[in-house]
Amino acid sequence: LRHILIHPDPRLKKVCDPVAQIDDELRILADDMLATMYDAPGVGLAAPQVGVMRRVLVMDCVKDLKAQPRPMVLINPEVTWTSAETNTYEEGCLSIPEQYADVTRPAEVRVRWLGLDGKLHEEGFDGLWSTCVQHEIDHLNGKLFIDYLGPLKRQMITRKMEKLKREMARA
Ligand SMILES: O=C(O)C[C@@H](Cc1ccccc1)[C@H](O)SCc1ccccc1
Ligand SMILES: [Zn+2]
């Protein structure tokens, strides 16, 4: 498992680098990210959250645990279309533990990415998958869900995380 960085952390604000080639190091990173995501537990995780500044995200938004899990690895993902319709979801973030706030995003998105199989993929996402893939692509661009909130609410959450990190450092 990898350690998940907690906000505020400069690495969570950086724009990540595109992946040049799919090699064993990348395959190991993807496996580690999926294991870390399931352990958290979460439905998504982006590479900068584990301190790797590369454009890789993993997700599995299959909520019904009886259903077949659908682990996805998206490399160099790009949004190619967004719906005019929006939906609002109370988002959280593994890098901002225990903090939740409503974020409004396009209800549906189409995303193109490079798969671990080396092939280009393009797929539409809606529901939780849409919210999640947009949340994760934001991470690759150094954007957090609290950046969509007003300055006071964002500052309150940041102060709480700074306190949490001080306490963790003392523990
Ligand atoms: O920090 C992350 O990127 C993992 C996020 C992904 C996510 C955020 C908001 C909405 C959808 C996905 C979550 O912490 S994963 C935890 C979770 C679990 C079930 C439903 C929503 C979020
Ligand atoms: Zn997040």
Side-chain angles (χ1 to χ4, degrees), residues 14 26 31 34 48-49 63-65 76 130 133 139 143:
K14 281 186 59 62
L26 188 75
D31 280 352
L34 279 167
Q49 292 183 274
K63 296 283 290 169
D64 172 357
L65 298 183
N76 301 337
S130 171
V133 75
H139 272 301
K143 200 167 172 74

Side-chain angles (χ1 to χ4, degrees), residues 60-144:
D60 182 352
C61 302
V62 174
K63 296 283 290 169
D64 172 357
L65 298 183
K66 287 186 295 298
Q68 188 66 16
R70 189 187 173 200
M72 296 189 79
V73 177
L74 279 63
I75 299 161
N76 301 337
E78 293 168 353
V79 174
T80 57
W81 173 83
T82 58
S83 64
E85 295 78 24
T86 62
N87 73 13
T88 300
Y89 192 95
E90 191 181 34
E91 298 197 12
C93 183
L94 296 175
S95 295
I96 310 176
E98 321 279 314
Q99 308 304 311
Y100 302 93
D102 283 351
V103 178
T104 300
R105 301 179 188 269
E108 292 181 53
V109 289
R110 276 187 73 76
V111 180
R112 182 172 55 213
W113 71 93
L114 181 62
L116 278 179
D117 57 6
K119 296 193 181 93
L120 271 181
H121 297 254
E122 182 152 11
E123 197 176 308
F125 295 94
D126 64 3
L128 181 58
W129 287 93
S130 171
T131 299
C132 181
V133 75
Q134 292 179 76
H135 177 110
E136 302 310 335
I137 291 176
D138 273 354
H139 272 301
L140 304 184
N141 295 319
K143 200 167 172 74
L144 302 172

